[in-house]
């Protein structure tokens, strides 16, 4: 239990200034007050002084979160996104900077999401390691609507185990109870569960609530890899996997959470064709040679195509060099995250991109229909290489060569 005062560390000018710099670097939209990051920046000093004073006097109250709807990657559905005001994002960032170190030292080593110095790639490497060690009976876990389901009472009970500062606790509670504004309507229902979507402090609170589960599995000797609410348990036998799932179900029920009945399942990765998805990748045991490979998850692949299509429309009036100036940064981002995917799949994406580019060239010659085979000879792969198109396949090979050389040094 932290018995020292913490609120005075939140409202200090140094903390708020550092928090503001982080918010400014992340940009983002305006909240319900319609004040943008750029507008806040014009008189940030006076704004920070004002919010510091309100925090000091205990009169600060967060505004409602603006709800907008954005496309769900790989589907025609939409998902809600909450946008707090810039001021609220600054205060939440300051709050997180103060309380995160207190909880960080309590977190389990197999938790990777939204933690300093950790990320998706670390989690994926750990999954690779455990699978290669023979932990091939995988419990693929899906907590139904986790961020919207966290019980406030249970969460605050865990927070109070480490923090006693009443003003900080009130501040956290005020964020949990934040209203939501959609259009001109404000929904200020009496919330008893869920962390606010889009809130800077939500990922930390989500980690706090799942921390007891992390240690429960660790004490039971069940290897686990968790990134926020995306988690898998990796076991050496089918029996251990069943026991792990039973333990997980019991804990979830007691914690007021529900496992998705269809998405939570046990997968035997020793069987040909078996697979599970984790952090954008699909881990799959191939049927032909029984190799364990990583693929780009279908939903992630659909998202990649969604991002590329607007840049490669047939009616694009820009030069090839101008098109590639916009396209290559997207492809670099794909390569940076997915260069561990099977080379054949990256080659397929390359082919799809070049087909779209050939369709642009075909359109400019006033020909209708899809690209024909002979056009691959007219505009071969090296034509696009000369223009500087990034090839995912080639970039992957260069990356692997570089890693091997580094390992041999």
């Amino acid at each position: 239990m932290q018995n020292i005062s913490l609120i005075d560390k939140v409202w200090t000018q140094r903390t708020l200034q550092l928090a503001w710099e982080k918010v400014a670097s992340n940009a983002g939209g305006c909240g319900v007050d319609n004040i943008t990051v750029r507008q806040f920046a014009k008189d940030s000093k006076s704004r920070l002084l004002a919010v510091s004073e309100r925090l000091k006097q205990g009169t600060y109250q967060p505004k409602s979160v603006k709800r907008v709807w954005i496309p769900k990657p790989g589907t025609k559905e939409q998902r809600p996104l909450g946008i707090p005001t810039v001021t609220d994002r600054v205060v939440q960032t300051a709050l997180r900077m103060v309380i995160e170190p207190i909880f960080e030292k309590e977190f389990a080593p197999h938790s990777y999401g939204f933690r300093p110095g950790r990320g998706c790639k670390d989690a994926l490497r750990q999954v690779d390691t455990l699978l290669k060690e023979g932990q091939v009976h995988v419990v693929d876990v899906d907590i139904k609507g986790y961020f919207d389901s966290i019980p406030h009472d249970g969460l605050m009970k865990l927070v109070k185990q480490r923090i006693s500062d009443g003003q900080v606790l009130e501040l956290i509670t005020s964020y949990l109870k934040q209203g939501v504004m959609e259009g001109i309507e404000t929904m200020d229902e009496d919330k008893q569960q869920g962390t606010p979507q889009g809130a800077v402090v939500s990922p930390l609170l989500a980690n706090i609530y799942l921390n007891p589960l992390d240690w429960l599995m660790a004490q039971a000797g069940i290897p686990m890899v968790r990134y926020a609410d995306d988690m898998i348990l990796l076991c050496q036998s089918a029996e251990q996997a069943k026991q792990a799932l039973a333990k997980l179900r019991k804990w979830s029920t007691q914690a007021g959470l529900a496992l998705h009945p269809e998405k939570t399942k046990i997968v035997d990765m020793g069987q040909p064709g078996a697979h599970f998805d984790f952090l954008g990748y699909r881990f799959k045991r191939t049927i032909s040679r029984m190799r364990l490979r990583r693929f780009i998850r279908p939903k992630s692949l659909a998202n990649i195509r969604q991002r590329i299509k607007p840049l490669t429309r047939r009616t694009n009036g820009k030069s090839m060099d101008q098109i590639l100036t916009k396209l290559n940064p997207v492809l670099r981002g794909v390569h940076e995250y997915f260069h561990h995917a099977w080379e054949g799949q990256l080659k397929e994406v390359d082919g799809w991109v070049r087909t779209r580019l050939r369709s642009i060239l075909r359109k400019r010659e006033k020909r209708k229909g899809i690209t024909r085979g002979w056009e691959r000879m007219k505009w071969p792969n090296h034509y696009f290489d000369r223009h500087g198109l990034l090839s995912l396949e080639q970039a992957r090979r260069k990356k692997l060569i570089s890693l091997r050389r580094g390992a041999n040094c």
Side-chain angles (χ1 to χ4, degrees), residues 136 269-274 283-287 290-293:
V136 295
M269 289 299 292
Q271 297 300 312
F283 291 79
K284 185 175 182 179
R285 182 74 67 180
T286 61
I287 296 174
M290 287 290 288
R291 289 181 178 175
L292 190 61
R293 292 192 188 278

Side-chain angles (χ1 to χ4, degrees), residues 14-15 18-19 22 92-101:
R14 175 172 172 75
T15 304
L18 288 172
K22 287 187 178 184
Q92 284 188 41
T93 302
L95 174 65
R96 179 168 179 166
M97 288 168 59
V98 171
I99 69 172
E100 186 174 57

Side-chain angles (χ1 to χ4, degrees), residues 82-97:
I83 305 178
T85 65
V86 177
T87 299
D88 287 338
R89 298 206 294 270
V90 170
V91 176
Q92 284 188 41
T93 302
L95 174 65
R96 179 168 179 166
M97 288 168 59

